[in-house]
Amino acid sequence: MNGGAAPEGAAKAIAFELDGQAVVVADDAGSLLDALRGQLGVRSVKDGCSPQGQCGCCTVLVDGSPRVSCVTPVRRIAGRQVTTLDGLPAERLDALTGAFVATGASQCGFCTPGILVRLAALDPSANRATVERALAAHLCRCTGWRTIVEAFEQASVTPVGAPHRTLTAAARRATIEGRGPQGAGLDVVLGRSPFADDTAPADALVAVPDGAGGWAVAETLAGARSAAGKVQGRRTTAELVYPIEVPPGDWAAMLRTTWVEPAYLETDASWCQPGGDPATPLANGGAFGAKKASVAPDAARRLADEYGRPVRVVLAREDVVRLGPKRPPVAAGVRPDGTGVLRVARTPGIVAAVASVAPGLVVEEVDVVGPATSSNLRAAGWAEALVLLAGVGHGVNADGSVTVDDPRGGRATATIAADGTVSLVVEAGEVLDSVTLRSYCVGAAHMALGWVRREAIAVDPAGVPLDLTIRSFGIMRASETPPVEVHVVDLDGPPVASSDAAFVAVAAAEWVRQGCPPMWPTDR
């Protein structure tokens, strides 16, 4: 953290109090987030929407009130008190973080610091509705909200000591469910996982996409974005486009989808030293499979070698939407015996994914104009196939619940009650840590409900995504998410992933509950 005189060359200095310490930053017409991360090196504030003021990851307190720092001009902070996660009262922060660890209310940890700041500003006696309203300013893709609300309530009732959990086992379960190395515990909750944009050297050049297939490089993030001519993305009013027609046939059930954005909170980033290996953009999570082919690491390596200096590559939210892979659209029909045709946007690996669970479906890959797609995304292909089969009763039990087997070995049975409550019975081999497994299954249920009901992006006739703000993807908020009950069955055998099975089972149960309407999302 820097204090004292204004940075050299600054036309004007802005002085304020940061976490109880007097600081001075240059007034470069930037945001408070720019000053905190770029000039003062504060890494607990995160940039998840780059900057749209829509994800809450950069939330701080200004004179005690929560504020989204990415859209707060730093000049408006002169003479004021700014509090980040690092400056919260120790007793309240310890109570909240202990409860977050105990309930599994953080998975990748990227959004958690901003949420903690928001919750710390609430009266500890706030009721659930008040907490959910406060969380409306935030997005969390991993946890499904329920564990976050539970953590607030638990911290407010009684202080939480060290959780009775083995965090190495929790991290192992998180790694299995997340399909990539993940940790568990206090550092994750505090946002101290090795996110690439947090760990880059201070003297690294910054590179951003220039919009023409190349990279704009500068000494600072603001300079790189200026060189690229970056214009903030918007949400469109255009209608959704369904690029594939349902194949002709006498079908008992049909399903037709469009492009869906993975919507992970941490945007792609990497950095590399000349001649070195680039930092992974995965950090503490796999982004539901969406970052496996990220452009950031290769660009960081190439640019570092080209410039002879460390280079930090950062994608803005709209860059992620334009360049990142989407869930491939499908159009399918199925007969009562489980045979049928599933047409899908041409995607490597998608045919094998469908065949692994639904050998009676003929897969027809179709060339469509649109953004890149990937079979690495959560259960892509086999989820759509099993949902379609549930529409004709396959996997549907006598009580109306739906059972799904993950090709990787996990099993989940989902029931959705009349009041919307989701109940899950999960079989995942050796449990390792029930708190972590429950957290991943609650998050999977939240994502599944959003997928069926709300999630999709509009694409123009040239195939370019039009919905470029994180709030336009259709992610369900805390107040919209029903209770999710998870019963974990401890079985002999090695631990296997089961949250993907939970995701598919909840999606199928919700579709069946709605009467199997053919167009997804059903509420848009």
Side-chain angles (χ1 to χ4, degrees):
M1 186 180 296
N2 299 321
E8 184 178 350
K12 184 179 179 182
I14 301 294
F16 60 95
E17 184 178 296
L18 175 63
D19 295 333
Q21 180 179 339
V23 297
V24 178
V25 298
D27 181 10
D28 58 359
S31 69
L32 175 57
L33 175 62
D34 294 333
L36 291 173
R37 287 187 64 88
Q39 297 188 49
L40 298 171
V42 179
R43 294 292 179 256
S44 64
V45 287
K46 311 294 185 185
D47 182 359
C49 59
S50 303
Q52 299 168 350
Q54 295 188 357
C55 74
C57 293
C58 66
T59 298
V60 299
L61 304 181
V62 177
D63 295 338
S65 298
R67 181 168 295 187
V68 182
S69 62
C70 71
V71 291
T72 300
V74 69
R75 63 180 180 274
R76 294 185 182 174
I77 303 301
R80 306 180 76 173
Q81 293 181 332
V82 175
T83 305
T84 71
L85 176 76
D86 308 302
L88 292 176
E91 183 177 359
R92 185 58 178 154
L93 181 60
D94 288 347
L96 283 168
T97 55
F100 267 63
V101 173
T103 60
S106 183
Q107 289 180 22
C108 80
F110 190 81
C111 68
T112 312
I115 290 174
L116 286 169
V117 170
R118 177 83 55 177
L119 295 181
L122 290 177
D123 186 321
S125 64
N127 60 28
R128 179 166 291 199
T130 299
V131 175
E132 290 178 345
R133 281 196 298 272
L135 290 173
H138 295 262
L139 283 177
C140 175
R141 188 56 159 168
C142 297
T143 65
W145 299 116
R146 295 300 96 205
T147 50
I148 293 174
V149 175
E150 291 164 8
F152 177 86
E153 293 173 339
Q154 186 167 326
S156 299
V157 171
T158 179
V160 179
H164 299 290
R165 300 169 60 198
T166 302
L167 293 181
T168 53
R172 186 180 170 200
R173 171 54 68 182
T175 296
I176 291 170
E177 299 298 337
R179 292 186 285 168
Q182 289 198 242
L186 187 59
D187 278 350
V188 172
V189 173
L190 293 171
R192 295 174 181 166
S193 297
F195 301 113
D197 198 41
D198 290 351
T199 60
D203 64 343
L205 291 169
V206 184
V208 303
D210 66 3
W215 298 88
V217 182
E219 293 288 342
T220 66
L221 178 58
R225 287 178 171 171
S226 176
K230 180 181 178 296
V231 177
Q232 185 62 50
R234 295 290 183 264
R235 180 175 185 169
T236 183
T237 57
E239 295 292 329
L240 296 177
V241 174
Y242 293 81
I244 306 175
E245 297 290 338
V246 174
D250 185 15
W251 309 124
M254 294 178 289
L255 178 63
R256 196 177 183 199
T257 68
T258 185
W259 289 278
V260 178
E261 172 64 32
Y264 47 88
L265 266 290
E266 182 208 4
T267 58
D268 297 37
S270 182
W271 63 271
C272 193
Q273 296 278 5
D277 293 324
T280 175
L282 298 179
N284 190 49
F288 316 105
K291 287 185 180 178
K292 285 190 174 181
S294 174
V295 299
D298 286 346
R301 186 201 306 269
R302 179 177 59 80
L303 292 170
D305 290 343
E306 178 181 339
Y307 284 87
R309 285 180 57 182
V311 173
R312 165 184 159 217
V313 170
V314 183
L315 269 62
R317 174 56 56 184
E318 49 265 45
D319 297 326
V320 173
V321 181
R322 292 186 178 109
L323 301 175
K326 309 293 174 272
R327 191 173 198 94
V330 305
V334 65
R335 305 178 186 92
D337 64 357
T339 62
V341 177
L342 186 147
R343 289 178 174 169
V344 59
R346 190 175 304 281
T347 306
I350 204 74
V351 175
V354 175
S356 69
V357 297
L361 293 180
V362 174
V363 180
E364 296 179 354
E365 291 191 275
V366 180
D367 292 311
V368 298
V369 177
T373 57
S374 174
S375 60
N376 290 326
L377 301 186
R378 176 171 243 169
W382 68 268
E384 286 84 350
L386 289 182
V387 165
L388 186 66
L389 291 176
V392 291
H394 293 238
V396 180
N397 304 306
D399 62 356
S401 62
V402 178
T403 298
V404 163
D405 289 314
D406 186 324
R408 297 181 294 168
R411 168 176 285 190
T413 299
T415 305
I416 301 180
D419 65 357
T421 298
V422 176
S423 297
L424 278 166
V425 178
V426 178
E427 301 174 20
E430 183 184 358
V431 173
L432 298 175
D433 181 75
S434 61
V435 172
T436 301
L437 182 54
R438 175 180 180 267
S439 176
Y440 275 80
C441 289
V442 171
H446 170 263
M447 183 183 286
L449 293 175
W451 180 37
V452 176
R453 299 174 183 174
R454 299 261 307 270
E455 294 189 29
I457 61 169
V459 172
D460 73 11
V464 178
L466 296 173
D467 283 314
L468 301 176
T469 69
I470 200 164
R471 288 289 184 186
S472 62
F473 304 154
I475 302 170
M476 291 171 55
R477 302 188 186 193
S479 61
E480 300 166 327
T481 306
V484 181
E485 301 168 351
V486 181
H487 175 67
V488 176
V489 180
D490 197 354
L491 299 174
D492 293 333
V496 293
S498 65
S499 56
D500 282 0
F503 167 73
V504 181
V506 172
E510 172 63 10
W511 192 47
V512 171
R513 184 193 70 81
Q514 291 191 27
C516 303
M519 305 287 283
W520 282 18
T522 59
D523 294 349
R524 290 179 66 181

